[in-house]
Structure formats: C-alpha cells, structure tokens
C-alpha cells in the first residue's frame, strides 16, 4: 500500500489547492477534489434564488462542464443500480416530473434523492443554499421548467425528444445546444445547481468551499464502521467501495475492488475482503483524488495506459518518455537550433543546466523522492499498476541525465512554435523509438507496450531490448520503402539506439577515423558512394542539395549491402565509375578517401558477413563529415574545447 500512502501524502502537501480549478492545454478544467467528492460532466446549469425558485437555466459549454459533486461510497461506485448523488445528478434523480416526460424510471431514484437531500438539510451541518435546492426540487417541475425555457425539447406528445430532427422547410436546421453537448438522449442530461443570493461571492455550488465542507461533515457522521487502516496504521472508518473515474470522467475501472465474494476470489485464502487488506475511507479518498489530479495535471495517456511522474518537493519532473528537446531553453529560437555548429557537448551542458534546475529548486536539507507509475486497465472494471518505482530525487535525475547523455544523436524532425523544423542533439522520445522500430502506422497498443518496456532502460539503467534495436536497424536499412523525411527520422533515432548499445566503444557524432571496425568502415564506404552520386545528380539536374531526386544506388542497395557487404560494394563501386569520370581531377579526393577506408579493413574481414548496426553510425558520421565545410569543422573544434571545460567544471561541483 506504499503507493496509496505516497498519494495521500501528496494530497496533504497540496491541501491549499483543494477545490481550485486549473486549466488544461485543451481548455478543459480540472481540480484536486475534496474528500467525499468526485467529478462529473454537467450538461445543464440551473440558477435558483435564495427562496428556491428558478431564475434561469443554461446549457453548459463543453470547456466548463467539469463539475465537483458530493458523493457517497455507494453513489461513487454505482453502475446500473439507482443510487443517487447527494446534490447534483441526472434528470431521473432530480426531476419529479421525469415519468411524465420520459416514462417510468427503474426503481425510485427521485424519492431516494429527496430522502438523502432531506437528511443532509435536517442534520446539524445543513447549508442554506442546499436547502434552496431541496425546496425547488421538491416541487417536481424541473423538466417542465427547462422545456418552457427552451433548454430541453419535447415532441407533440409531450415527451422529450430522443434525437433532433430538423423540421421540413427549416433551411438553417440549427441544432439546439443540448444535442451538441450530450451523447445520449435528453433524459440522460446531468444537472447542476447555482443559488444566487445577494452579497454571496460564489453562487456556483460546485465551487463553494462552504457547501463542500458541509457535506464532508455530514457524511462523516454516517461512517461508523472502523478498523485498522493498512495505509496509515490508525483506527479509522473503513472504505468498502473505492473510487473509479481515475483516468477520466467516464472511466469505470478501479484500482481496489472486492465484490466477487461468491466466486473464487477468497476461497481457500480469505473469508472476507478485509482479511486481505483494510483501507480507511480517508486514505482511499485522498489517494484516489490525488491520483486523478496528477493524471489531469501532468500524466501522459496512450491508448488508456497512463504514464505518470511526480516529485515530493515539486510535482513537475522531467519525464523519462520525453526527448532531449524539452531541455533546450531556446527551443523557440530558430537561430539557436538551425545549424550544424551546435555540438553534442554544448547540448549536454544545456541538459545538465536544466536538470540542475530541478535538482536545486527546493529545500537543500530534506531528502526528496520521485515516483514513477504506469496504469492500465485490462477490462472495463479492473485497473492495475503496471510499473511503480520510488527513487531518491538525485538518483532519478542522475539516471535521466545519463540517458540523455548516452542515447543521443543529431535529430532534425522536431518543430518550434513557428512550425519550423529545428535540429537538436540528444535522446529520442520513447514514442519516437516506437516510430523507428515499428513505423508510423503502428497501433497505439504496440506503441504503449514499447513505451512501458523502455522505462526500466531509463529508470533502472537496463540495456535496451535487442528486438527493438534490431527492428529499428532493419527499417533504417530499407530507405526505398519510405519517404525521405520518414527515413531520416528513423535513421537518426536508430543511430541513437545503436550508439547507446555500443556506448563503451566511444562512438559519437564526430567521424571516427581511428577505428578499424569492419561494420563502421563499410558504413563509411556506403556514405562516400552515396555523397558522390548525390552531388552528381544535383549538378546534372541543376538542383540544390536536399531537393527531390531519384534515390542513389547506395540508398537503393542499402538493405542488400547490410547483408552481403563485399558483393554489394562491387556493384555500387562499379556504378560510381561514370560519375567519377565526369568529375575529372576532383575524383582524386574521392578515390583516395575510398582507398583509405578500404585499407583499414582487414583482408580476412572484407567478406559478406552481415553488418551490425554500427555500419549506420559510420554511414551517418561520414555523410555528415562530407557535408560539413572546413570552416564549420574548425568552429566546432573550438566549441568542443570550451564546452569540455564547462562540463569538467560542473562535474567537479
């Protein structure tokens, strides 16, 4: 139960923001929910005065529909059984004239709702605004009032329309607002109330802290069953049913569930669910509400699987599934990332500065922790924690830094805020690794599976699974079947994975002219052939580098070359002859370079043994080196020396 204790502590640490709404990037609101409350999507907002008379009503905008509502254990876990929420609910519960407009409801939802609301109003913790709601709903005219105000729409028989059909001859055919915000028919509309009282600053009951506190105190009176809580160790009221709607408002999956007492769940092990574990109502509410809030605030969701990271000192932490681009302060400045004069050491320095901002932004004396959690649901009713780790904050940041400084390459597929492609050196995002390994049309199920498998590689510093590396190498070796942008992205990501796999051998972004590894050298040969033909094709067609052109022979034979390098090199080298003849005296440089590379390959290794992924590093390094001018190389050398000194200084500190 350490995860629940951790979440409960997070709730207590941020108790000052309970009930305060924040805005998501998509415009939707979310909040840290009070105990004994949950969230629902409201469709209709009804305004009352202090005497309980209706003043106005509106259809709720989709960006303002998130509503904090009081709830009991039973109502928070309701499925098909008619169990009312205490204050806000669907029409079947809050409308006394539901049967008149929609037909008979299952059970007695309206009467149950009234009885529960009366009990609250008659308790010592009654609230005058809640009494206004009780006075109004007791009249039993809610649907009729909404129809009169044009919020709901009835047919000629006086029944609510199930769907909107434009009248014949209606050229505009404007659909009423209620049909734009509700997925089912009108009878399923969820209603929330506001009470307008002169002098009161807050009329919206779902945002009124005094109303929320009133219900919390009222509901605490009914919690009499106590036991030892496995989370806190205290003797507290016990929760028999636990919260759902963890990932979103329509989520029915639960992390803690024990309703199969008649099956094989307890047979031979426990007599009741409490023999397995006992969780207090307070710990369950705080833990689940904190989890919902964190998911809304900073969780990453992929096909229902949630990836979540938060810190004890500060909530926002660098997420392991993100790429190094997020650490670059000048990501919005096109000039800062536009050219090849940026070095890996410069980016490594930027990464360290960014991570040190997380490391030293807090209390220096206390020990802080970071929690990593992934959640997924195998069925609509059951959710599980797929991955859970709690690490010391410094250890976590060290491992994030080590990942970004070891699994790196030069990438050119990210865009800045001006929608312009920019370059960055660093680690790819795990989602992009799935792109390289399985292609852009991989299903979300496959992508989320890879993202989960990569977590231990980053957090626990385990090796990257070989099947992921091999799949990426295979795709990067087949450029003919891809668009150029797709292949370039696949190639750079694959090079980062291969570089990480061979980390001890010291390969980097600069061309390694000292190594005698046959795989790397064969890759260099392929790059030289590619550049020679590419430049000749550009010259012949009068086009600049990077323009659309036919694929070179080196690119076309790349897959076969990786399997049978000696035989394929003879074919590629022979195809270069016409291009070298046209170059005249300039061909001397290329012929000399080819011979220098071939001389480094041992005679017995110049064979058709398949190449490893290192040939892609040699190909990428050699191609980049040939497209980099002598002036740029000298500038990079100067930058490397300066950055080396700064990195050493940071390491000493």
């Amino acid at each position: 139960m350490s995860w629940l204790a951790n979440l409960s502590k997070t709730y207590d640490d941020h108790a000052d923001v309970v009930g305060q709404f924040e805005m998501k990037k998509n415009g939707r609101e979310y909040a840290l929910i009070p105990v004994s409350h949950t969230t629902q999507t409201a469709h209709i907002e009804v305004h009352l005065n202090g005497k309980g008379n209706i003043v106005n009503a509106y259809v709720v905008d989709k960006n303002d529909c998130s509503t904090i509502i009081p709830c009991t254990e039973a109502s928070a876990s309701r499925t098909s059984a008619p169990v009312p929420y205490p204050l806000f609910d669907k029409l079947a519960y809050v409308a006394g004239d539901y049967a008149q407009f929609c037909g008979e409801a299952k059970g007695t939802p309206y009467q149950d709702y009234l009885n529960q609301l009366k009990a609250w109003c008659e308790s010592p913790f009654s609230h005058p605004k809640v009494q206004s709601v009780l006075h109004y709903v007791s009249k039993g005219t809610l649907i009729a009032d909404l129809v009169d105000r044009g919020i709901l729409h009835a047919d000629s028989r006086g029944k609510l329309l199930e769907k909107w059909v434009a009248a014949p001859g209606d050229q505009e055919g404007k659909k009423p607002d209620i049909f734009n915000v509700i997925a089912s028919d009108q009878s399923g509309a969820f209603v929330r109330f506001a009470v307008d009282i002169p002098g009161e600053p807050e009329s919206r009951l779902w945002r009124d802290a005094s109303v929320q506190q009133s219900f919390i105190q009222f509901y605490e009176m009914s919690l009499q069953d106590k036991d030892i809580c496995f989370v806190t160790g205290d003797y507290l009221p016990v929760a028999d049913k636990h919260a759902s709607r963890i990932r979103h408002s329509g989520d029915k999956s639960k992390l803690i569930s024990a309703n199969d007492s008649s099956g094989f769940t307890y047979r031979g092990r426990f007599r009741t669910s409490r023999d397995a574990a006992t969780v207090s109502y307070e710990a369950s509410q705080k833990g689940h509400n904190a989890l919902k809030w964190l998911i809304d605030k900073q969780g990453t969701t992929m096909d229902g699987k949630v990836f979540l990271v938060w810190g004890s000192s500060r909530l926002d932490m660098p997420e392991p599934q993100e790429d190094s681009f997020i650490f670059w302060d000048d990501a919005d400045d096109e000039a800062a990332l536009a050219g090849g004069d940026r070095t890996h050491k410069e980016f490594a320095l930027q990464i360290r500065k960014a991570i040190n901002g997380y490391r030293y932004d807090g209390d220096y004396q206390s020990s802080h922790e970071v929690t990593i959690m992934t959640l997924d649901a195998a069925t609509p009713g059951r959710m599980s924690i797929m991955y859970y780790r709690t690490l010391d904050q410094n250890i976590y940041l060290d491992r994030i830094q080590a990942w970004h400084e070891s699994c790196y390459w030069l990438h050119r597929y990210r865009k800045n805020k001006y929608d312009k492609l920019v370059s960055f050196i660093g680690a790819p995002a795990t989602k992009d690794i799935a792109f390289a390994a399985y292609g852009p049309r991989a299903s979300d199920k496959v992508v989320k599976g890879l993202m989960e498998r990569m977590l231990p590689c980053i957090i626990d510093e385990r090796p990257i699974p070989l099947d992921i590396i091999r799949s990426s190498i295979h795709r990067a070796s087949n450029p003919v079947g891809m668009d150029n942008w797709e292949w370039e992205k696949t190639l750079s990501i694959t090079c980062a994975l291969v570089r990480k796999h061979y980390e001890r051998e010291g390969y980097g972004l600069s061309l390694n002219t000292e190594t005698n590894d046959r795989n790397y050298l064969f890759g260099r040969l392929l790059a030289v052939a590619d550049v020679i033909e590419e430049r000749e094709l550009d010259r012949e067609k009068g086009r600049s580098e990077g323009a659309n052109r036919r694929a070179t022979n080196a690119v076309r034979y790349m897959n076969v070359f990786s399997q049978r390098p000696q035989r394929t090199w003879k074919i590629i080298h022979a195809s270069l002859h016409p291009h070298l003849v046209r170059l005249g005296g300039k061909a001397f440089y290329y012929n000399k370079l080819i011979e220098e590379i071939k001389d480094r390959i041992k005679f017995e290794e110049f064979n058709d043994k398949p190449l490893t992924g290192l040939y892609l590093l040699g190909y990428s390094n050699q191609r980049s080196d040939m497209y980099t001018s002598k002036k740029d190389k000298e500038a990079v050398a100067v930058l490397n020396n300066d950055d080396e000194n700064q990195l050493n200084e940071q390491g000493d500190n």
Side-chain angles (χ1 to χ4, degrees):
M1 290 295 176
S2 60
W3 63 273
L4 201 53
N6 194 355
L7 287 166
S8 297
K9 183 179 183 302
T10 301
Y11 185 98
D12 291 333
D13 290 342
H14 297 85
D16 56 321
V17 298
V18 170
Q20 297 180 14
F21 278 86
E22 301 174 66
M23 191 74 71
K24 292 184 182 180
K25 292 181 180 179
N26 61 5
R28 296 290 183 94
E29 292 182 321
Y30 68 96
L32 180 56
I33 309 167
V35 172
S36 302
H37 287 72
T38 187
T39 54
Q40 271 285 4
T41 299
H43 307 112
I44 298 173
E45 181 177 323
V46 177
H47 282 250
L48 310 173
N49 59 24
K51 297 180 180 180
N53 298 319
I54 187 169
V55 176
N56 214 333
Y58 311 94
V59 174
V60 181
D61 184 82
K62 287 184 177 180
N63 291 331
D64 188 38
C65 62
S66 184
T67 307
I68 297 176
I69 67 171
C71 71
T72 61
E73 272 193 284
S75 61
S77 304
R78 79 183 187 191
T79 52
S80 57
V83 182
Y85 288 112
L87 187 56
F88 312 132
D89 215 321
K90 293 184 176 181
L91 289 173
Y93 295 90
V94 299
D97 50 355
Y98 181 85
Q100 175 186 342
F101 286 89
C102 306
E104 290 295 332
K106 181 181 178 181
T108 57
Y110 174 66
Q111 195 58 47
D112 294 341
Y113 168 78
L114 275 185
N115 293 338
Q116 189 169 246
L117 194 57
K118 285 179 181 177
W120 181 4
C121 291
E122 293 171 359
S123 73
F125 306 105
S126 176
H127 195 284
K129 293 182 180 179
V130 178
Q131 290 178 343
S132 299
V133 175
L134 174 61
H135 181 75
Y136 173 70
V137 296
S138 298
K139 299 176 182 178
T141 61
L142 176 58
I143 295 181
D145 291 339
L146 294 175
V147 170
D148 290 342
R149 284 168 171 75
I151 304 300
L152 297 177
H153 301 268
D155 58 20
S156 58
R157 298 175 298 132
K159 300 293 185 181
L160 290 185
L161 292 172
E162 293 185 3
K163 62 180 180 179
W164 176 254
V165 179
D170 186 357
Q171 299 297 325
E172 296 184 1
K174 184 179 179 181
K175 184 186 292 187
D177 291 339
I178 187 63
F179 292 99
N180 292 323
V181 299
I182 189 169
S184 60
D185 59 81
Q186 296 179 93
S187 63
F190 195 95
V191 182
R192 66 188 186 190
F193 295 98
V195 179
D196 302 319
I197 299 177
E200 287 287 338
E202 185 59 80
S203 63
R204 300 168 295 182
L205 301 190
W206 61 96
R207 297 201 181 190
D208 192 328
S210 64
V211 174
Q212 295 169 356
Q213 191 60 35
S214 169
F215 178 76
I216 293 172
Q217 294 173 328
F218 162 69
Y219 190 61
E220 282 180 352
M221 295 192 310
S222 63
L223 301 174
Q224 302 297 327
D225 189 9
K226 296 184 178 181
D227 206 337
I228 297 295
C229 174
F230 280 32
V231 178
T232 65
D234 298 326
Y235 191 70
L236 296 168
V238 175
D240 286 325
K241 297 179 180 179
H242 300 270
S244 58
R245 299 184 179 87
I246 294 172
R247 295 172 295 180
H248 49 81
S249 60
D251 185 17
K252 296 295 185 181
S253 301
K254 294 184 178 183
L255 279 170
I256 305 176
S257 180
N259 61 353
D260 191 22
S261 57
S262 61
F264 290 91
T265 305
Y266 312 126
R267 191 169 295 178
R269 291 182 175 86
F270 310 110
R271 291 180 296 106
T272 66
S273 61
R274 293 191 185 181
D275 293 339
T278 305
V279 180
S280 67
Y281 178 77
E282 181 181 5
S284 176
Q285 285 284 303
K286 287 183 175 181
H288 283 90
N289 288 350
L291 182 57
K292 296 177 187 178
W293 178 58
L294 289 169
I295 291 173
D296 281 333
K297 187 178 185 68
Q298 58 199 57
T300 301
T301 303
M302 171 63 67
D303 190 37
K305 185 185 287 289
V306 175
F307 299 85
L308 183 62
V309 178
W310 77 94
S312 60
S313 62
R314 54 179 291 175
L315 291 177
D316 59 312
M317 282 283 149
E319 298 184 13
Q321 68 268 19
E322 295 291 345
D323 57 27
S324 304
F325 188 73
I326 63 171
F327 294 118
W328 188 248
D329 288 341
D330 300 322
D332 294 331
D333 183 1
E334 184 180 357
L337 295 171
D341 61 340
R342 295 291 166 180
T343 68
H344 166 247
K345 290 179 181 177
E346 188 176 3
F347 275 77
L349 184 63
Q350 184 64 36
I351 288 171
R352 292 191 183 185
K353 287 179 179 179
I355 289 180
N356 285 341
Y358 291 97
R359 197 187 302 272
Y360 302 121
D361 185 12
D363 185 359
Y364 287 81
Q365 305 300 323
S366 303
S367 176
H368 302 302
E369 292 183 335
V370 175
T371 303
I372 309 99
M373 177 186 286
T374 64
L375 306 167
D376 202 2
T379 66
R382 300 289 184 272
M383 186 186 299
S384 61
I385 298 175
M386 309 294 291
Y387 182 89
Y388 179 79
R389 286 295 305 275
T390 300
L391 295 173
D392 178 81
Q393 179 174 293
N394 285 327
I395 293 176
Y396 173 79
L397 293 174
D398 286 342
R399 292 180 180 178
I400 292 292
Q401 179 177 312
W403 167 257
H404 287 277
E405 291 184 0
S406 60
C407 185
Y408 67 85
W409 208 252
L410 175 63
H411 307 283
R412 295 185 176 91
Y413 54 81
R414 287 297 298 264
K415 293 183 178 181
N416 60 13
K417 70 176 184 179
Y418 304 108
D419 204 34
K420 297 289 185 66
L421 284 173
V422 291
S423 304
F424 76 97
I425 299 172
T430 54
K431 187 177 180 180
D432 289 324
I433 293 175
F435 175 97
Y438 306 123
R441 288 172 290 278
S443 67
D444 288 344
K445 182 178 181 181
V446 172
V447 174
K448 73 177 183 180
L450 182 141
M451 292 174 67
E452 184 180 2
R453 293 178 64 196
M454 289 299 298
L455 271 181
C457 306
I458 303 170
I459 304 303
D460 302 323
E461 297 183 313
R462 297 180 186 175
I464 300 173
L466 287 177
D467 64 292
I468 296 175
I469 298 176
R470 288 169 182 160
S471 180
S472 300
I473 293 172
H474 177 74
R475 291 195 71 251
S477 300
N478 285 274
V480 177
M482 294 181 261
D483 293 333
N484 187 63
W485 70 267
E486 182 182 343
W487 176 63
E488 290 286 355
K489 180 176 180 178
T490 301
L491 177 63
S492 67
I493 294 171
T494 303
C495 285
L497 299 179
V498 173
R499 195 265 164 204
K500 174 67 175 176
H501 184 68
Y502 293 97
E503 182 179 0
R504 294 183 179 180
E505 299 187 21
Y507 293 102
L509 290 175
S510 300
L511 178 64
N512 189 333
T513 57
E514 303 299 324
T515 183
N516 292 325
D517 185 277
R518 68 180 291 271
N519 303 285
Y520 189 87
L521 293 171
F522 268 118
R524 290 184 62 189
L525 285 176
L526 186 67
V528 173
D530 184 30
V531 172
I532 292 172
E533 187 173 357
E534 197 172 68
R535 284 179 170 173
E536 275 300 292
L537 289 174
D538 286 337
R539 187 182 64 82
E540 290 174 5
K541 300 295 182 180
R543 294 180 294 192
S544 61
E545 293 176 4
N548 292 328
R549 63 175 76 85
R550 72 167 176 83
T552 65
N553 286 306
V555 169
R556 290 165 56 200
Y557 283 106
M558 195 171 190
N559 185 38
V560 183
F561 181 83
S562 67
Q563 300 300 314
R564 295 184 292 276
Q566 181 194 25
R567 184 186 307 177
T568 312
W569 170 249
K570 292 179 181 179
I571 300 172
I572 295 173
H573 189 251
S575 69
L576 291 177
H577 183 70
H579 302 299
L580 292 171
V581 170
R582 281 191 291 270
L583 284 172
K586 295 180 180 178
F588 175 77
Y589 164 75
Y590 293 115
N591 284 321
K592 180 183 177 183
L593 181 58
I594 290 173
E595 291 304 317
E596 287 178 354
I597 297 172
K598 288 175 65 177
D599 288 345
R600 284 193 165 273
I601 305 177
K602 296 178 182 178
F603 177 79
E604 63 273 15
E605 291 182 347
F606 200 86
N607 53 37
D608 278 335
K609 181 182 177 181
L611 301 175
T612 67
L614 278 175
Y615 94 93
L616 292 173
L617 300 191
Y619 173 83
S620 180
N621 286 156
Q622 184 66 61
R623 190 175 65 161
S624 176
D625 184 78
M626 295 180 74
Y627 280 129
T628 303
S629 66
K630 183 178 179 181
K631 180 180 178 181
D632 288 339
K633 290 178 183 178
E634 292 174 352
V636 168
V638 173
L639 285 171
N640 273 329
N641 291 332
D642 294 341
D643 295 337
E644 183 73 38
N645 295 332
Q646 292 188 54
L647 286 171
N648 290 335
E649 289 176 5
Q650 285 201 4
D652 294 339
N653 294 333

